[in-house]
Amino acid sequence: MIKIGFVTCVQLGLSCMEALHEAGGQLSFAMTLEDDQAVNKSGRVYLDDFCECHSVPLLKSRHVNNCDVIEAIKSHELDWLFIIGWSQIASEDLLRSPKRGVLGMHPTLLPQGRGRAAIPWAILKGLDKTGVTLFKLDTGVDTGPIVDQVVIPLSSSTNAQELYQSVNKAHIALMRKVVPVLMADKLNLQEQDRSLATEWPGRRPEDGQIDLNGSVYDAEKLVRAVTRPYPGAFYLNEGKKIVVWKAQTTESPSVNALEFKDGWLELIEFEVSRSF
């Protein structure tokens, strides 16, 4: 019997755990943070009820690389360990602890878009599609062999909130698809084509500043790319920071419109954040 473990502390990870069980899988171990950690993290959840309901041994630890976690993985004789929605980087010791390895997901079509800020970058780059990749973790950054992918089409109006929801659904779809294969021990790994690899850098809240001297089309794209659940696009006006959550290009000015060299940006949803 293939033994599977899971590491998560967010709703997306819990949804994947639920999908795993719905697909006929059985967890032999779960690990999460201590209750007092990451209490303000977006999507933070607690696994106690799920693990009690499904009789899954649950370990709480302050870091995934701690000795108690590695010892627990080995003692439960796990074949595979999923790490989903987790910000701590897995050590080599952890990656070697399950018999067959550690699996994770990345919200791009690897090898494209290794790195950070996958959802904003997919929109900013004007891609016509992105997706989610299930892959085996190695010591590199999103470089491990691919298990499977789900493609997510993008349009010229897709915003970060919509893509975020699509990415979540793709995670669950991948989990449901791979579990029967995993349990049958028929997982097929495909090495990434390094010649096609691209790396996307992290983004900071200040990267959301709208260039009022630039193109209106770039500004509109930026608004869509960093709207909720991200910090939002913004511009400065008389010492105030105006955060723009929704906007559209227009050929004529209006009361709530910003002028650019190649058109106008009509602000549909915005707020005065604070003095800057």
Side-chain angles (χ1 to χ4, degrees):
M1 177 182 175
I2 300 297
K3 293 186 176 181
I4 303 173
F6 216 104
V7 174
T8 194
C9 64
V10 296
Q11 180 58 54
L12 175 59
L14 178 56
S15 296
C16 286
M17 291 171 67
E18 293 169 344
L20 184 148
H21 272 258
E22 291 168 1
Q26 173 66 45
L27 285 172
S28 300
F29 168 79
M31 179 261 170
T32 191
L33 295 174
E34 296 282 3
D35 289 352
D36 64 342
Q37 287 183 271
V39 293
N40 296 319
K41 181 179 177 68
S42 177
R44 174 73 158 102
V45 296
Y46 300 88
L47 308 183
D48 304 70
D49 290 345
F50 176 92
C51 290
E52 182 178 355
C53 178
H54 295 281
S55 301
V56 179
L58 175 63
L59 173 65
K60 297 182 181 182
S61 185
R62 306 199 77 80
H63 202 288
V64 73
N65 295 327
N66 284 349
C67 291
D68 57 342
V69 179
I70 293 174
E71 290 172 0
I73 292 170
K74 292 178 178 178
S75 67
H76 283 92
E77 299 182 329
L78 297 182
D79 293 291
W80 292 102
L81 178 70
F82 281 95
I83 300 181
I84 304 292
W86 195 262
S87 57
Q88 298 169 349
I89 304 299
S91 67
E92 289 188 48
D93 285 343
L94 179 70
L95 294 177
R96 289 195 299 263
S97 295
K99 297 176 183 177
R100 288 168 169 80
V102 180
L103 299 173
M105 296 201 200
H106 184 69
T108 72
L109 296 173
L110 291 174
Q112 181 184 48
R114 294 172 177 174
R116 305 286 299 278
I119 289 176
W121 277 123
I123 296 172
L124 287 169
K125 291 177 179 294
L127 303 182
D128 59 4
K129 66 179 179 180
T130 185
V132 173
T133 301
L134 174 63
F135 69 109
K136 183 181 178 182
L137 274 63
D138 60 15
T139 56
V141 178
D142 305 322
T143 55
I146 293 171
V147 177
D148 205 347
Q149 297 179 317
V150 169
V151 175
I152 300 172
L154 299 175
S155 73
S156 59
S157 64
T158 301
N159 64 40
Q161 191 170 42
E162 294 166 342
L163 182 50
Y164 191 89
Q165 293 170 352
S166 296
V167 163
N168 286 356
K169 292 177 181 177
H171 275 74
I172 295 169
L174 269 175
M175 186 63 65
R176 289 172 176 164
K177 183 179 179 181
V178 76
V179 165
V181 180
L182 203 65
M183 299 303 293
D185 199 17
K186 295 182 178 179
L187 204 63
N188 180 37
L189 297 173
Q190 182 68 43
E191 293 296 328
Q192 295 188 35
D193 185 343
R194 295 182 181 179
S195 68
L196 300 177
T198 58
E199 294 185 10
W200 297 348
R203 293 183 59 83
R204 302 164 299 174
E206 52 264 39
D207 294 329
Q209 183 166 3
I210 296 170
D211 181 5
L212 298 177
N213 295 315
S215 168
V216 66
Y217 301 103
D218 290 339
E220 188 273 339
K221 195 184 299 181
L222 179 62
V223 171
R224 288 190 288 111
V226 297
T227 191
R228 299 180 181 94
Y230 299 104
F234 69 92
Y235 67 97
L236 307 178
N237 183 31
E238 297 180 351
K240 299 293 184 179
K241 180 180 179 182
I242 315 300
V243 181
V244 183
W245 299 111
K246 186 176 182 180
Q248 65 183 17
T249 59
T250 180
E251 295 181 356
S252 57
S254 64
V255 175
N256 296 319
L258 296 177
E259 184 178 7
F260 292 80
K261 61 184 180 183
D262 54 355
W264 297 80
L265 186 69
E266 183 179 0
L267 309 185
I268 299 173
E269 182 182 351
F270 62 96
E271 62 182 296
V272 179
S273 176
R274 57 179 173 81
S275 298
F276 197 84

